[in-house]
Amino acid sequence: MNRDADGLELVHLLRATTVQLQLQAARFGAAHGLHPTDVRALIALLDAVRAQRPATPGYLVAELGLNSASVTALVDRLERLGHVRRERDPADRRRVLLVVSDQATELGWAWFGPLIDAMLVALRSFSAEDLSAVRRFLELMERAASEAP
């Protein structure tokens, strides 16, 4: 068994999966008049909700690697489309929080729900130990990708 060859095959499969997910996001964006960065921003904002982290324009600057002027234009665009709204942080009225609208969440579920369901069905064929290994693999791959120069 050649571990490097097996590892390289897994890296290529991960890349192929990533490409397919990016294509789905691009199709979603095109169908709903969203720029790819708009879709990435919505995903980042929904990730913040899942992580129970406050989502601010500064959060998007860090997550998307954009400057503050670009994020302002992006949030303005998403707000005009009804996907995001700005709210004052009740704990700090100087801070603006970004909230994904119910409409945007429903739109995302309508598009990506069947894909997520298919992925969950596929995962049911794995044992708890397999899922633990998959989780560890994906966490290490995400860390390697995020730390790459």
Side-chain angles (χ1 to χ4, degrees):
M1 175 167 130
N2 183 339
R3 288 179 57 94
D4 285 341
D6 290 342
L8 193 55
E9 181 181 0
L10 286 173
V11 168
H12 288 303
L13 284 168
L14 181 60
R15 179 204 31 83
T17 302
T18 302
V19 167
Q20 289 304 315
L21 292 171
Q22 289 172 339
L23 287 171
Q24 285 293 335
R27 288 183 196 113
F28 172 79
H32 299 288
L34 298 169
H35 185 276
T37 306
D38 299 342
V39 176
R40 286 180 44 226
L42 286 170
I43 291 168
L45 293 172
L46 291 169
D47 286 346
V49 170
R50 277 189 289 283
Q52 298 180 343
R53 295 179 54 195
T56 64
Y59 168 80
L60 283 183
V61 166
E63 287 295 304
L64 303 178
L66 300 174
N67 62 40
S68 59
S70 295
V71 166
T72 297
L74 173 112
V75 172
D76 287 346
R77 190 168 54 249
L78 291 175
E79 195 172 39
R80 272 193 312 275
L81 292 169
H83 298 313
V84 170
R85 68 182 178 278
R86 291 173 169 101
E87 292 183 357
R88 290 279 171 206
D89 183 343
D92 181 352
R93 302 282 298 153
R94 296 168 297 175
R95 187 163 79 157
V96 173
L97 299 176
L98 302 175
V99 179
V100 178
S101 71
D102 290 343
Q103 165 199 316
T105 301
E106 290 167 13
L107 198 63
W109 273 111
W111 186 278
F112 292 105
L115 171 61
I116 292 168
D117 288 343
M119 291 175 140
L120 290 172
V121 167
L123 286 171
R124 288 187 197 128
S125 67
F126 289 84
S127 69
E129 295 81 18
D130 290 342
L131 290 173
S132 179
V134 169
R135 176 178 284 108
R136 183 169 167 263
F137 169 75
L138 290 173
E139 287 170 348
L140 289 170
M141 295 302 101
E142 192 276 332
R143 186 177 310 135
S146 68
E147 293 175 356

